Amino acid sequence: MRVIPENWQQQSVANKKKYKNWLQRVQRNKVLKQLPALHEEAFAQIDCLNCAACCKNYSPRFKTPDIKRISKHLKLKESVFIDTYLRLDEEGDYVVKQTPCTFLGEGNACSIYDVRPSDCARFPYTNEDVLLKRMNITLKNAEFCPAVFYVLEKLSNN
């Protein structure tokens, strides 16, 4: 049984104010205990390979350990990896030069999945405190990630 409605994106946009109000008054410790189970529930229904909106429209930050790990995996010098694939954004973070992500392959699979950036490994943050601490990111993510929508719906309707 599918719990995520087909029009979830429209619902997410319509519920943005509700989510924001909820996030502003949330009981953090209570919610943090609920996140792992809700995260599992969401991903029992959602296959990222059917979506990949994150990889198609946004970029993770590539931190120094990510750059070192991925460069080594690709057998490139770090400077060559940076010059080839990355740019500095407005906040001074390395991000991919283009969207969709260069590493997004056939069937929405990541060609560097085993060494992907930590932002990618942690996304969509539905099982950690980032969901609560970084409200603007959470609200943005809810508009394109069905897992974030699912978790916020469950939490804000309690």
Side-chain angles (χ1 to χ4, degrees):
M1 179 179 145
R2 185 169 169 85
V3 180
I4 300 172
E6 288 202 26
N7 67 340
W8 70 267
Q9 287 175 296
Q10 293 90 340
Q11 285 186 27
S12 181
V13 171
N15 291 342
K16 187 173 185 173
K17 188 175 181 179
K18 175 180 88 167
Y19 300 153
K20 184 176 182 177
N21 288 336
W22 180 84
L23 285 163
Q24 288 174 331
R25 59 178 173 72
V26 68
Q27 295 177 0
R28 288 178 43 87
N29 290 337
K30 179 183 173 192
V31 171
L32 285 173
K33 291 177 185 171
Q34 296 174 307
L35 289 181
L38 289 173
H39 175 84
E40 293 300 319
E41 274 181 41
F43 284 100
Q45 299 177 54
I46 297 162
D47 180 356
C48 291
L49 296 177
N50 290 331
C51 177
C54 49
C55 305
K56 292 175 183 174
N57 299 294
Y58 303 99
S59 175
R61 292 169 298 171
F62 284 73
K63 298 175 188 167
T64 302
D66 300 322
I67 292 169
K68 288 180 181 300
R69 184 177 61 255
I70 297 165
S71 298
K72 183 177 179 183
H73 174 78
L74 296 175
K75 297 178 176 57
L76 295 173
K77 288 184 177 180
E78 291 171 30
S79 59
V80 173
F81 173 74
I82 291 168
D83 291 344
T84 304
Y85 297 107
L86 306 179
R87 67 175 176 82
L88 283 173
D89 70 5
E90 311 75 40
E91 296 166 7
D93 293 318
Y94 281 111
V95 295
V96 290
K97 282 185 178 178
Q98 65 184 47
T99 53
C101 178
T102 305
F103 303 108
L104 182 64
E106 200 172 306
N108 291 332
C110 177
S111 64
I112 59 167
Y113 187 81
D114 291 338
V115 294
R116 69 196 183 279
S118 61
D119 272 5
C120 296
R122 294 171 56 210
F123 191 83
Y125 314 108
T126 47
N127 60 348
E128 58 180 91
D129 67 349
V130 171
L131 187 86
L132 306 175
K133 287 194 330 194
R134 301 196 61 200
M135 180 173 58
N136 290 338
I137 287 177
T138 298
L139 294 172
K140 176 183 166 187
N141 291 348
E143 293 181 9
F144 70 88
C145 178
V148 178
F149 167 79
Y150 179 89
V151 170
L152 285 179
E153 276 295 300
K154 288 287 193 169
L155 289 170
S156 65
N157 286 327
N158 281 343

